[in-house]
Amino acid sequence: MDSNQFREVGKQMVDYIADYYDNIRQRPVMHNVSPGYLPPLLPDSAPEDPERWEDIFKDIEKVIMPGVTHWRSPRFHGYYAAGGSFPSMLGDMLCNAIGCIGFSWATSPACTELEMVTTDWLGKMLGLPEHFLHSHSGLGGGVIQSTASETVFLCVLAARNRMVARMKETDQDMNDHSVISRFVCYSSDQANSSVHRSGLLAEVRMRKLQSDDNFSLRGETLRKAIKEDKAKGLIPFFVCATLGTTGSCAFDCIKEIGPLCEKEGIWLHIDAAYAGSAFVCPEYRQHLEGVEYAETFSTNPHKWMLCNFDLSVMWIKNREYIVDAFKVDPIYLKHQNEGRVPDYRHWQIPLSRRFRALKLWFVLRCYGVKGIQQYIRTHVSLAEELEALLVKDGRFEMPVPATMALVCFRLKGTNKLSEMLHDHIMARGDIYIIPAYARAQGKDVYFMRVAMVSEHMTSADIEVTFRAIQRSADRVQERYADLPQTEKNGVKDDYMPLINNDACPADFKKQRNEKA
């Protein structure tokens, strides 16, 4: 393919993508294929001779699209937003064209310096402390990672290295492996699974602490755990606090956790992968109270800030803790300006890195702060619309009020009833949602999550989603009534729970009543 053909087929692909977005509501949101659907549609081996682009292009609809779940669809409400926008796509296009591997400043100065500028822009937009910015006189700064999962693992390793170095100051002959075996990390029981996976990969204990009735980790719970573990001879060294948990978008109480971590010399990492984007709106920054105690803070613009995957930003208070943990500097990577600017290879696990700052730069300039604020607020408003419709129906209850752009709901009654509702909704395929479990009032509660995901969602789309839930609820209640009593219990349903207004925490009850 030469440049002339690239111009021609590139325009064809741009048109295809634009049409895909414009007509995405006409596609079923969920695939309708079974495992192994694709190999029979393709040859057993790669072609020996070049194929025509026209034939390759035809196979997009024939081979690929039948097996795609359409995350950009306004009918897709699973997980959290998988960000994306046309400016971000253009940034990725230019990144791929330039093709630099920016492991050091010398390999492409623009790659490093644009990342420094854009992470500072974003940090200021979110209201983060100045010590997290490159432009500040301290040792802090931001860096683009691939995911928040990788960031947590990176921070666990850096915190582990810092604690080992501190202990060696008083015991030079200390055996690293024996002391690391006593290290312990903490997180809420609502934290993302990647947090606990980081503990496994780093070979340290990762202890899940019970959240409160708001699904939030509190300072007193952490204090007791630290005291218990110290009495056992263990060494607490890392806490991951979450702002916007996966299950219910709960917020750990960092204004209580932060001072305790500082007192105990524990590394506090704040994982705001989803909800962090909302802090661009000042009305949500009360959740940031206590952020000044964090060693590291991360959020994913590729979730809720219109950037395509992968683009996760991490800020650190003191870059030396990361550099000291991961610096390996062979002569072929050195350059004359070392020390004057960051070499980001020392700030991450891989060596190589793409020019991801381009798409962040394009998005921030094309939307501006006000445009991103409007996008966030629209999603929050749509979530409140759906919650109001569910409350008005009378058959549904919310284990927590709509938070940010997430609505959690269930049918009143047993867990089994809500399990059946979820399965029926997914079998119909009109919308895509996922379930979650949380422990409330001493009971395991099954509920469904509806996240606002698409940039172009409207109130009409919310009405479609609500009607899909209603139709499935009608059918499920009929089926449930005909079940024998022994089959009406769910996986964790021995006690036949019913969440109602009186059973909800007082502040949740107040918020729900005010919204209703």
Side-chain angles (χ1 to χ4, degrees):
M1 183 180 292
D2 59 22
S3 61
N4 288 328
Q5 188 186 9
F6 177 70
R7 293 177 194 273
E8 179 183 348
V9 302
K11 292 170 184 173
Q12 181 187 25
M13 183 58 76
V14 167
D15 285 341
Y16 178 84
I17 292 170
D19 289 341
Y20 172 73
Y21 271 71
D22 289 345
N23 302 307
I24 199 166
R25 290 176 176 85
Q26 299 174 18
R27 294 178 183 264
V29 63
M30 190 175 175
H31 67 80
N32 189 27
V33 300
S34 299
Y37 92 93
L38 193 144
L41 302 177
L42 297 175
D44 292 337
S45 303
E48 291 291 335
D49 298 313
E51 295 188 15
R52 298 188 315 147
W53 170 257
E54 292 81 359
D55 295 330
I56 299 170
F57 187 78
K58 289 177 184 177
D59 279 348
I60 295 174
E61 285 294 331
K62 177 184 175 183
V63 178
I64 303 302
M65 285 301 176
V68 170
T69 295
H70 299 286
W71 286 59
R72 302 286 185 242
S73 172
R75 315 284 187 258
F76 183 89
H77 300 290
Y79 314 102
Y80 278 128
S85 63
F86 294 132
S88 178
M89 292 181 206
L90 294 174
D92 265 338
M93 185 184 296
L94 181 58
C95 168
N96 292 334
I98 293 173
C100 70
I101 309 299
F103 48 73
S104 74
W105 177 88
T107 59
S108 276
C111 182
T112 294
E113 296 195 16
L114 186 63
E115 189 161 331
M116 295 170 67
V117 169
T118 53
T119 55
D120 272 12
W121 282 6
L122 184 57
K124 293 174 184 177
M125 287 168 60
L126 302 183
L128 296 182
E130 286 188 346
H131 59 239
F132 282 131
L133 307 180
H134 290 284
S135 55
H136 187 257
S137 59
L139 294 172
V143 58
I144 296 175
Q145 307 283 359
S146 60
T147 65
S149 304
E150 183 178 320
T151 296
V152 174
F153 180 44
L154 180 81
C155 292
V156 169
L157 293 177
R160 190 184 72 176
N161 185 75
R162 185 181 75 165
M163 183 59 77
V164 168
R166 283 179 176 177
M167 297 182 71
K168 279 192 170 182
E169 290 176 359
T170 57
D171 185 2
Q172 290 290 333
D173 299 325
M174 180 188 75
N175 181 284
D176 289 9
H177 295 291
S178 63
V179 74
I180 288 173
S181 68
R182 294 160 52 206
F183 283 2
V184 59
C185 309
Y186 305 98
S187 76
S188 159
D189 57 4
Q190 301 297 306
N192 188 273
S193 60
S194 64
V195 177
H196 310 297
R197 190 164 182 260
S198 295
L200 293 174
L201 292 171
E203 297 185 317
V204 293
R205 291 177 175 84
M206 181 68 74
R207 183 174 171 186
K208 300 180 185 181
L209 303 181
Q210 179 70 47
S211 54
D212 67 7
D213 289 339
N214 295 351
F215 306 125
S216 171
L217 177 61
R218 304 300 298 270
E220 181 60 19
T221 303
L222 176 62
R223 186 192 66 77
K224 290 179 179 178
I226 292 171
K227 183 178 179 180
E228 290 171 3
D229 287 337
K230 281 187 170 181
K232 297 175 183 176
L234 301 179
I235 304 169
F237 78 104
F238 181 86
V239 172
C240 180
T242 305
L243 299 182
T245 58
T246 303
S248 62
C249 198
F251 292 81
D252 291 339
C253 190
I254 58 174
K255 67 180 180 181
E256 296 176 358
I257 295 170
L260 182 58
C261 288
E262 182 176 67
K263 177 184 175 182
E264 297 287 344
I266 294 173
W267 184 300
L268 173 60
H269 173 67
I270 296 177
D271 178 5
Y274 166 66
S277 295
F279 302 145
V280 72
C281 302
E283 61 266 32
Y284 300 120
R285 290 183 190 160
Q286 71 273 16
H287 296 297
L288 278 176
E289 188 176 349
V291 67
E292 65 273 13
Y293 294 101
E295 291 291 342
T296 42
F297 179 97
S298 69
T299 191
N300 289 354
H302 68 231
K303 275 191 168 68
W304 204 17
M305 200 179 277
L306 299 160
C307 291
N308 289 70
F309 186 85
D310 55 344
L311 201 156
S312 178
V313 181
M314 180 195 83
W315 291 268
I316 185 166
K317 188 184 296 185
N318 185 342
R319 70 187 71 174
E320 292 182 351
Y321 292 137
I322 291 284
V323 173
D324 288 348
F326 302 110
K327 187 171 183 177
V328 177
D329 223 6
I331 190 170
Y332 55 82
L333 296 178
K334 291 181 176 293
H335 60 90
Q336 292 180 342
N337 290 292
E338 284 186 350
R340 297 178 61 189
V341 290
D343 282 330
Y344 275 132
R345 69 180 181 275
H346 302 312
W347 295 46
Q348 61 179 27
I349 293 172
L351 171 64
S352 302
R353 56 199 337 270
R354 299 187 300 117
F355 200 165
R356 288 174 292 204
L358 281 169
K359 57 186 170 186
L360 181 58
W361 189 48
F362 283 9
V363 167
L364 296 183
R365 293 185 68 184
C366 285
Y367 286 87
V369 175
K370 291 181 178 178
I372 293 172
Q373 288 174 334
Q374 180 181 355
Y375 163 72
I376 296 289
R377 288 167 179 152
T378 297
H379 271 189
V380 173
S381 177
L382 291 172
E384 292 173 349
E385 285 183 31
L386 178 60
E387 182 189 44
L389 290 170
L390 291 166
V391 170
K392 185 177 179 181
D393 179 281
R395 293 177 292 174
F396 304 100
E397 56 193 1
M398 272 47 73
V400 295
T403 306
M404 299 297 179
L406 179 69
V407 179
C408 299
F409 77 100
R410 68 195 303 275
L411 274 169
K412 294 177 180 178
T414 66
N415 282 349
K416 178 66 174 181
L417 191 56
S418 289
E419 290 169 10
M420 291 173 63
L421 175 59
H422 171 263
D423 292 347
H424 192 272
I425 289 171
M426 294 299 287
R428 284 184 59 91
D430 298 325
I431 60 174
Y432 188 106
I433 63 175
I434 64 169
Y437 264 111
R439 193 157 187 83
Q441 302 296 319
K443 301 174 181 179
D444 289 311
V445 178
Y446 180 101
F447 57 92
M448 287 149 281
R449 303 166 68 263
V450 180
M452 308 300 118
V453 171
S454 170
E455 178 187 0
H456 304 291
M457 285 186 70
T458 65
S459 294
D461 294 311
I462 293 299
E463 186 70 24
V464 170
T465 293
F466 175 62
R467 296 302 174 200
I469 294 170
Q470 272 193 321
R471 284 192 299 270
S472 288
D474 293 342
R475 185 66 182 122
V476 163
Q477 286 182 320
E478 293 173 4
R479 291 180 179 176
Y480 185 79
D482 295 334
L483 286 177
Q485 186 62 36
T486 55
E487 296 181 21
K488 289 185 176 181
N489 290 349
V491 176
K492 299 184 178 182
D493 223 357
D494 296 338
Y495 43 82
M496 304 286 285
L498 173 65
I499 297 181
N500 53 47
N501 255 1
D502 293 331
C504 289
D507 53 340
F508 284 170
K509 177 179 176 181
K510 179 182 177 183
Q511 291 178 40
R512 184 181 305 141
N513 288 342
E514 287 174 351
K515 288 181 180 179

